[in-house]
Amino acid sequence: MKSASALLGRQADESESAPLQRWLTISVTIGIALVYAVLTAHRGPVFSADSARYSRWADLLIASHFNYISWSNSADWVVPPLSYAGFVTLVALNKVLLGSDWAYGIIALNLAFATATAWMVLRLVERLTASRLLGVAAGVVFLVAFEFWLWIPYVLSAVSFMFLTFSAFFLLAVDAIRAGPGPRLPSGGPLALPVPAPLYRPSGLAPAA
């Protein structure tokens, strides 16, 4: 009887702390997003040789009226251009919608993708540990993560590709948490997410394999 009462008490405590833990996750995520936004706004869009190539390919894609077969034949590269079609499409859409300010659209998307990735990590920490201290610690790690500071302002596919691949892991982890112990095949959603990866950048062949 005592053990049953203790179990019920513990479950009640967990149910009461769950909303607070969730609000903590949301608050830390918002804080991370604000810091990233300030740093990104300070640097502005950063271009590299790959950025220039993506821009040229996007112009060709727009000129072909998004005919991917025609576009892939006109965009010569060592790797088949279709392997970059996903990100080039993002660039092309930003050029159509924002004109000469298209690069700001890309880094805004990078900021959103980085924030979403941070939220997924914090959500997993919340689900697996139910520890507020560890949740805050994970947020601090994101605030000092140099890789995020470095890549968000770049007009490149690195941040959005990270979001795509980590989303598959996140969905698999959530699927496993909900299923509980014991063998079980994952649902189709997490397994289907990496399928477009090889059409986003060539290294997407690894997570899709």
Side-chain angles (χ1 to χ4, degrees):
M1 183 67 69
K2 289 183 178 180
S3 61
S5 300
L7 178 61
L8 290 174
R10 186 162 60 251
Q11 289 177 343
D13 291 340
E14 289 175 355
S15 63
E16 290 176 0
S17 63
L20 180 59
Q21 185 73 26
R22 194 157 301 159
W23 276 110
L24 178 64
T25 298
I26 294 172
S27 300
V28 173
T29 303
I30 292 172
I32 292 170
L34 290 175
V35 171
Y36 285 169
V38 170
L39 293 171
T40 302
H42 176 71
R43 295 183 66 189
V46 180
F47 290 85
S48 70
D50 287 340
S51 304
R53 186 174 72 253
Y54 289 139
S55 178
R56 290 195 305 270
W57 284 359
D59 290 338
L60 292 173
L61 184 60
I62 295 170
S64 70
H65 302 288
F66 290 86
N67 183 324
Y68 287 90
I69 301 302
S70 173
W71 166 74
S72 63
N73 291 330
S74 62
D76 294 329
W77 188 244
V78 177
V79 179
L82 282 176
S83 298
Y84 299 91
F87 185 69
V88 173
T89 299
L90 277 183
V91 174
L93 291 175
N94 275 276
K95 287 196 169 200
V96 170
L97 295 173
L98 301 177
S100 60
D101 293 327
W102 65 272
Y104 288 94
I106 295 297
I107 64 172
L109 287 173
N110 284 349
L111 177 61
F113 288 134
T115 302
T117 303
W119 176 84
M120 287 188 286
V121 172
L122 294 173
R123 186 77 173 107
L124 286 179
V125 171
E126 172 194 331
R127 294 290 297 271
L128 293 172
T129 70
S131 169
R132 298 171 195 170
L133 178 61
L134 289 177
V136 173
V140 171
V141 169
F142 271 98
L143 289 178
V144 299
F146 176 73
E147 291 292 325
F148 281 84
W149 294 10
L150 174 66
W151 291 111
I152 291 175
Y154 271 88
V155 184
L156 294 171
S157 63
V159 177
S160 50
F161 183 72
M162 173 196 64
F163 167 78
L164 177 65
T165 53
F166 190 79
S167 294
F169 171 79
F170 173 77
L171 292 177
L172 284 169
V174 170
D175 197 46
I177 293 170
R178 288 175 177 169
R184 179 179 176 272
L185 290 176
S187 60
L191 296 179
L193 193 58
V195 172
L199 297 178
Y200 202 83
R201 57 189 289 175
S203 55
L205 289 170

